[in-house]
Amino acid sequence: MRSIWNGAISFGLVSIPIKLVNATESHSISFRQIHLADGGRIRYRKVCELDGEEVSGAEIGKGYEEADGSVIPITDEDLAQLPLATAKTIEIMSFVPAEEIDPLQMDAAYYLAANGATAAKPYTLLREALKRSRKVAIAKYALRGRERLGMLRVVDDVIAMHGLLWPDEIRVPEGVAPDVEVTVRDAELDLADALMATLGEVEMASLHDDYRDAVEAMIAAKAGGAFEPVEAPGKPAGGQVIDLMAALEKSVRAAKASRGEADGAGEGGAGQAGTEETGTTGAEAEVTPMRRRGGPGRRTQAAPKAVGGKKSTAASAKKTAAPAAAKSTSAASKKTAVKTTAKSTAKSTAKSTAGSTARSAGGKSGATKSTSAAGAKKAAAGAKKAAATRKRTSA
């Protein structure tokens, strides 16, 4: 890799010769400006405004423009003679825990390569000291005409340096946070946690630029003359999702489905919170009501009470049917009891009458016996008639 700066790391009294190499590269697809009428390239030429002639790069230098419009020439030799310790040195000032560095300060990244065999030992010493301390080094250095702030840390077996913005270059986020009072429920947080757990982690090395791939495919198709424009999807309007719980639950289900996991969203805990389907402003937000799943051994919930405190129709019908059933059972029991009593009375009357008649006629003649038998039959018939009368009366 080509170095962009040569200097040294100043580590106390130890000086480590190094070369500065870019640690990142851009893979963005660049376009040229063309003349739409004929496809010709549009070029920018560097022309001197005094003589109107085009100037080459070797003839171009730096200059500082003052308020009155006059320009003061500044050469590289002028900058090199500045009494600045960091002009060609990365000067380490302190060591701090990495978590004390605000990621907002992170700028360009560089690799620091040992410059020569004599730099190998002190370079390795600094690298191992950084590893063992689990800290990063804060340093100053000068690059491209200005002094900068940097952070040195270990990446694999290499010392890397991140350019840092100065603290006063970080803007205060005034007016960025929502200015309305918002309450977040525990159930919503639980669903958000479930969604985060379902999405899980990702291998950073597996991420790539899908947009760049699509642009490259389009360029290849146009170059081969087989490009067919596809209607771009309509830009969704800024709809506001009102039912946040339903949106979170649907997100959890979609994430689980993409991973081939069973759908368990909406069961237990936060998933059982009730939701409503409500309208949205702008585009309609798709809302999925949360539902409970029934299963073997799982009780079905009773019907809810109607508005205004009135009991449901099912409950009223149940209460009305209970007394009616009790009344009909009671009537049937009474009827059975009366019938049984009448039969037993008739039988005992007939039996006792017949017994009395037989005993009184023991010593009499056959004629007297037949008369007694006729009387017994008559008495039994009367008893049956009385029982029938009582039966009709009780019914």
Side-chain angles (χ1 to χ4, degrees):
M1 290 186 283
R2 187 174 64 88
S3 64
I4 60 172
W5 184 88
N6 290 343
I9 299 174
S10 175
F11 178 32
L13 296 178
V14 178
S15 181
I16 310 170
I18 56 98
K19 295 185 293 186
L20 195 68
V21 178
N22 278 320
T24 61
E25 59 185 1
S26 174
H27 290 165
S28 297
I29 298 174
S30 58
F31 298 101
R32 303 293 186 185
Q33 290 185 326
I34 62 172
H35 185 199
L36 292 176
D38 54 17
R41 284 276 306 277
I42 304 297
R43 297 182 181 273
Y44 292 93
R45 304 180 186 276
K46 296 178 180 179
V47 177
C48 176
E49 64 179 14
L50 296 181
D51 57 19
E53 295 193 7
E54 187 174 350
V55 182
S56 65
E59 300 175 277
I60 299 174
K62 301 182 186 73
Y64 176 78
E65 185 177 3
E66 293 193 303
D68 59 359
S70 61
V71 178
I72 301 174
I74 304 294
T75 66
D76 292 337
E77 290 76 16
D78 294 334
L79 295 173
Q81 292 173 3
L82 291 175
L84 191 63
T86 57
K88 295 296 287 183
T89 304
I90 299 173
E91 183 180 0
I92 296 177
M93 299 181 296
S94 65
F95 295 86
V96 299
E99 55 268 19
E100 289 189 11
I101 305 300
D102 189 343
L104 287 173
Q105 289 185 257
M106 296 287 188
D107 202 359
Y110 308 94
Y111 289 136
L112 304 181
N115 193 2
T118 57
K121 180 68 179 286
Y123 183 95
T124 305
L125 173 64
L126 177 58
R127 183 191 69 197
E128 295 304 313
L130 287 171
K131 279 184 180 180
R132 190 164 72 172
S133 68
R134 297 183 180 178
K135 291 183 178 180
V136 296
I138 302 300
K140 282 184 178 182
Y141 66 101
L143 183 66
R144 299 190 181 100
R146 56 171 291 196
E147 188 173 61
R148 301 166 187 264
L149 194 62
M151 178 190 78
L152 277 63
R153 70 184 184 98
V154 178
V155 178
D156 295 333
D157 289 331
V158 176
I159 298 175
M161 182 174 72
H162 295 268
L164 298 179
L165 300 175
W166 296 96
D168 59 359
E169 291 179 316
I170 305 298
R171 300 174 64 184
V172 178
E174 293 180 352
V176 178
D179 57 356
V180 295
E181 197 72 27
V182 176
T183 301
V184 178
R185 295 181 294 160
D186 288 341
E188 293 166 338
L189 282 174
D190 290 342
L191 272 177
D193 289 343
L195 178 56
M196 291 168 64
T198 304
L199 292 175
E201 300 178 358
V202 65
E203 288 290 336
M204 296 300 291
S206 67
L207 301 177
H208 63 279
D209 189 348
D210 293 329
Y211 181 78
R212 188 186 74 205
D213 292 346
V215 173
E216 288 176 346
M218 177 194 67
I219 292 172
K222 294 197 82 166
F227 176 70
E228 294 184 5
V230 179
E231 185 178 353
K235 183 180 178 182
Q240 181 184 6
V241 178
I242 302 299
D243 196 342
L244 182 59
M245 291 289 289
L248 284 170
E249 184 199 19
K250 183 178 179 182
S251 300
V252 172
R253 286 201 303 271
K256 286 191 175 184
S258 68
R259 290 173 172 265
E261 298 178 11
D263 179 15
E267 291 200 30
Q272 290 187 355
T275 57
E276 296 179 359
E277 293 189 22
T278 52
T280 59
T281 57
E284 286 193 20
E286 187 176 357
V287 173
T288 304
M290 299 174 68
R291 56 188 180 277
R292 296 179 176 84
R293 296 182 179 180
R298 203 163 179 182
R299 293 172 55 193
T300 305
Q301 290 188 345
K305 292 184 179 181
V307 178
K310 293 182 180 179
K311 296 181 180 177
S312 67
T313 309
S316 300
K318 190 174 179 182
K319 285 198 173 184
T320 307
K327 191 180 284 186
S328 70
T329 304
S330 173
S333 301
K334 268 185 187 176
K335 191 180 284 187
T336 305
V338 170
K339 192 173 181 181
T340 305
T341 305
K343 279 185 178 180
S344 61
T345 304
K347 280 183 180 180
S348 75
T349 304
K351 192 174 182 180
S352 61
T353 307
S356 305
T357 309
R359 279 194 302 271
S360 61
K364 293 185 180 178
S365 63
T368 307
K369 280 183 180 179
S370 67
T371 303
S372 298
K377 282 184 181 180
K378 191 173 182 181
K384 278 187 180 181
K385 191 174 182 180
T389 303
R390 280 196 296 274
K391 185 176 178 183
R392 282 196 300 273
T393 304
S394 68

